[in-house]
Amino acid sequence: MHLSNALEATVDGYERTFAVNVMSTHQLLRQLHPHLHPPARIVVTVSDAHFGDLRHTGGTMPSPRWAIPDISRPGAFNRSGNVRAGRRAYVTSKLGGIYLVHEWSRRLPEGVDIIAYNPSLVIGTGLARETAGAFPFLMRRIVPILAATPLVDTPAPAGKKLADAILGATPAPTGAYIHQTKAMPSSTESYNPDREHALWNWLEQLPREQTPRTTN
């Protein structure tokens, strides 16, 4: 989920980007994990946009700003109605996805692994359908040209790489971050046990009737 602002809310009042990318992921895992038995592998899709730097985003994304529970509420970012705030909400939520993976990796039983997977740029995913500014133009006109380079994937090879991550053909220990075909470090900021534990505790204390409900 990538929106053009940080003001949109779910029907129960959570900022929509954070609700879809972090809160709903946690609730899905909470419901699935009693049914998982070793050997099993969970793959959570994240993004190298969580780095928020020139090398990984080409300057198109700002850096994340982590603050729980503030970022779960609409209007938490500076000038939340503009496009840059929407992008900050996105990269922050992807950082949160990695925090979830790290904390779940400590809590799942041995033999049930969880991995953060970054597919990088893949054309045809509809990522920019609810964004604004130059990003939709870039995704429609510029990014497809780069599909002939290692920088951008088309759906078929991207699907094969994701399948390899799911099936374990791409080796990675539980809690790892896979970039397309290889386990590697995520951002320095993404390794923060205090934030990971605080996120877990906040998500776990939410009444079950307040888990995010989204509408299309």
Side-chain angles (χ1 to χ4, degrees):
M1 173 67 66
H2 185 182
L3 302 175
S4 60
N5 60 68
L7 291 175
E8 294 191 27
T10 61
V11 294
D12 35 16
Y14 297 107
E15 193 280 315
R16 193 154 72 108
T17 306
F18 189 81
V20 171
N21 293 350
V22 180
M23 298 174 71
S24 294
T25 298
H26 179 74
Q27 294 304 327
L28 177 60
L29 292 174
R30 173 53 72 203
Q31 293 177 52
L32 286 177
H33 95 273
H35 308 288
L36 297 171
H37 304 284
R41 176 179 268 200
I42 302 163
V43 175
V44 176
T45 303
V46 294
S47 172
D48 55 2
H50 83 277
F51 283 86
D53 59 12
L54 182 64
R55 174 186 171 190
H56 292 89
T57 71
T60 61
M61 297 286 187
S63 59
R65 288 186 181 169
W66 188 258
I68 282 293
D70 294 352
I71 54 176
S72 70
R73 304 175 185 128
F77 297 101
N78 184 40
R79 299 176 64 190
S80 288
N82 69 21
V83 171
R84 187 169 181 81
R87 292 175 184 168
R88 196 179 300 280
Y90 174 77
V91 300
T92 301
S93 73
K94 292 302 180 180
L95 177 64
I98 298 175
Y99 288 153
L100 276 184
V101 168
H102 290 167
E103 191 64 25
W104 271 98
S105 72
R106 300 184 187 105
R107 297 172 182 269
L108 289 167
E110 185 175 355
V112 178
D113 296 342
I114 183 167
I115 304 296
Y117 179 73
N118 169 45
S120 198
L121 272 176
V122 182
I123 61 172
T125 64
L127 175 64
R129 65 183 179 274
E130 295 188 63
T131 62
F135 200 64
F137 173 80
L138 291 172
M139 291 298 292
R140 288 195 309 267
R141 303 296 184 185
I142 305 301
V143 171
I145 297 173
L146 300 176
T149 75
L151 298 175
V152 176
D153 257 341
T154 54
K160 172 64 166 58
K161 292 170 187 175
L162 175 58
D164 286 345
I166 294 170
L167 298 173
T170 300
T174 188
Y177 171 84
I178 295 177
H179 171 71
Q180 293 187 317
T181 61
K182 184 179 180 181
M184 58 179 56
S186 48
S187 70
T188 300
E189 187 178 6
S190 71
Y191 297 95
N192 190 316
D194 290 339
R195 288 183 178 183
E196 293 156 9
H197 189 60
L199 174 62
W200 174 279
N201 285 342
W202 181 76
L203 290 167
E204 286 292 293
Q205 62 84 32
L206 293 175
R208 291 296 179 240
E209 64 270 19
Q210 288 188 16
T211 55
R213 294 172 286 128
T214 60
T215 56
N216 293 324

